[in-house]
């Protein structure tokens, strides 16, 4: 049976268990993308996994896409149908501010609130409200997650001189142990275990391979 679900940003490790063969087709939206495309407030759905019909405004908005996906004969056709539906919606609702909001989130993550606010020409309070509306996260949480994600991605995509100690130094951690604690708290695994799993043939780590 075909089903649909909705999940918002999770600030802790999660695992799913399938009790038998399963074929899934996922569309993964960033929280900021959901906010801009469908007017949702990610903060209201943080750390929750809910059925799509429990979010009626999103269910109604996605119904045409859901029907196209169900009618498609294979995943390649489902992907094309998804892009054909989403592209005009993105142009309609996000064309006026395509890069500025991404700059806001990147600025909070890389510079901190004060420097990012000065960079954007906004007050710190406005920047904090804008960032939380787009992600459901406080600035400190957003910066923590972005830093860990950037560090792990750099290590996954290329072997860096100095190993994890070099990655930790490059991305502003006090030392390798500090990086290890942060990655394990967020991803549920040590950096080495995470790298081995992502580079393995285990299909359950697909989400970490999206940027490869």
């Amino acid at each position: 049976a075909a089903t649909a679900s909705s999940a918002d940003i999770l600030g802790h490790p999660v695992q799913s268990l399938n009790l038998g063969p399963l074929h899934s087709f996922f569309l993964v939206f960033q929280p900021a993308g959901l906010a801009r495309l469908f007017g949702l407030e990610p903060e209201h759905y943080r750390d929750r996994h809910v059925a799509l019909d429990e979010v009626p405004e999103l269910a109604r908005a996605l119904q045409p896409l859901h029907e196209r996906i169900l009618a498609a004969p294979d995943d390649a056709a489902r992907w094309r149908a998804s892009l054909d539906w989403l592209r005009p919606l993105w142009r309609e609702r996000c064309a006026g501010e395509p890069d500025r909001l991404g700059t806001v989130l990147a600025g909070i993550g890389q510079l901190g609130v004060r420097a990012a606010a000065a960079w954007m020409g906004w007050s710190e309070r406005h920047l904090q409200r804008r960032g939380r509306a787009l992600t459901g996260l406080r600035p400190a949480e957003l910066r923590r997650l972005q830093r860990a994600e950037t560090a792990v991605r750099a290590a996954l995509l290329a072997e860096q001189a100095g190993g994890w100690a070099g990655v930790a130094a490059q991305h502003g951690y006090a030392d390798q142990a500090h990086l290890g604690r942060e990655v394990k708290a967020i991803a549920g695994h040590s950096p080495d275990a995470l790298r081995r799993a992502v580079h393995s043939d285990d299909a359950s780590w697909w989400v970490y391979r999206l940027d490869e």
Side-chain angles (χ1 to χ4, degrees), residues 152-175:
V152 170
R153 182 182 292 119
L156 292 178
L157 295 179
E159 295 290 339
Q160 296 194 357
W164 289 112
V167 172
Q170 182 178 350
H171 294 279
Y173 291 95
D175 51 31

Side-chain angles (χ1 to χ4, degrees), residues 126-204:
H126 180 70
L127 181 66
Q128 290 172 335
R129 287 197 301 267
R130 198 72 177 114
R132 190 157 187 171
L134 289 169
T135 66
L137 296 171
R138 293 186 294 273
E141 295 173 311
L142 178 61
R143 192 175 189 187
R144 177 186 180 225
L145 288 173
Q146 285 190 333
R147 182 169 67 161
E149 181 180 278
T150 301
V152 170
R153 182 182 292 119
L156 292 178
L157 295 179
E159 295 290 339
Q160 296 194 357
W164 289 112
V167 172
Q170 182 178 350
H171 294 279
Y173 291 95
D175 51 31
Q176 181 176 341
H178 182 200
L179 170 64
R181 289 193 299 272
E182 286 289 272
V183 171
K184 189 163 187 177
I186 294 168
H189 297 271
S190 71
D192 275 330
L194 185 60
R195 180 157 58 185
R196 285 195 300 270
V198 173
H199 289 320
S200 73
D201 295 328
D202 188 343
S204 62

Side-chain angles (χ1 to χ4, degrees), residues 52-76:
L52 189 60
D53 57 13
E54 294 180 39
V55 192
E57 64 273 27
L58 183 59
R60 286 192 297 271
L62 289 176
Q63 184 61 34
L65 175 59
H66 191 203
E67 292 172 356
R68 292 189 185 195
I69 290 173
L70 291 179
D74 53 40
D75 283 346

